[in-house]
Amino acid sequence: DVFLTASRWEPLRQLLTPSTLDDPEGNLEVLSKGYEAIRSKGSLSELTETVLLLESSLKGLSHERSAPWLAKAREVLLLRQALYIAKAQAQCLNAQTVPPTF
C-alpha cells in the first residue's frame, strides 16, 4: 500500500503548515533588503534595523542558519554603540576641563 490515503495524509499535512516551512520568496525578499542596507554602508541605526528585520522576518531553515551570524552582528552593533557613547563622554569631559582659548 504505497499510496497515501486521506487519513494517512492528515498528520503530514499538519506538520507541513506554513509556520514550519521555509518561505523562499519571502526569505529572498528580506535577504535582498538586508543586502542592500549592508552594501550601502548605512548608519548604525540602519544596520540595527536590518538586523532586527532579518531576525524577525526570516523563516524556517533560513532563520535557523542565520541565527549565529545575526547574534554576532548584534554583538558588533552593541559594541559600536558602546564605543560611540564612550567617545561622546570623553569629548564632554574634555570640553569641561579645557579652558577656552581666545
Side-chain angles (χ1 to χ4, degrees):
D1 189 58
V2 176
F3 298 103
L4 289 174
T5 61
S7 62
R8 289 187 182 169
W9 174 250
E10 184 58 27
L12 292 174
R13 189 186 65 75
Q14 290 175 358
L15 287 174
L16 300 176
T17 61
S19 63
T20 60
L21 291 176
D22 279 344
D23 176 13
E25 290 176 8
N27 285 341
L28 286 173
E29 184 179 335
V30 170
L31 289 170
S32 176
K33 288 178 185 176
Y35 173 76
E36 288 301 320
I38 291 169
R39 195 180 107 218
S40 69
K41 298 181 182 175
S43 67
L44 186 62
S45 63
E46 290 171 333
L47 292 174
T48 302
E49 288 176 20
T50 300
V51 169
L52 291 173
L53 172 71
L54 292 171
E55 286 177 332
S56 65
S57 300
L58 290 175
K59 306 267 188 266
L61 189 58
S62 297
H63 177 75
E64 291 173 27
R65 291 202 174 159
S66 67
W69 182 88
L70 290 169
K72 289 182 191 246
R74 182 179 286 276
E75 290 173 8
V76 168
L77 290 169
L78 289 172
L79 179 61
R80 287 181 68 184
Q81 287 175 341
L83 289 172
Y84 284 136
I85 290 169
K87 181 180 176 185
Q89 288 176 338
Q91 289 173 338
C92 289
L93 290 172
N94 189 36
Q96 291 174 358
T97 57
V98 176
T101 57
F102 295 103

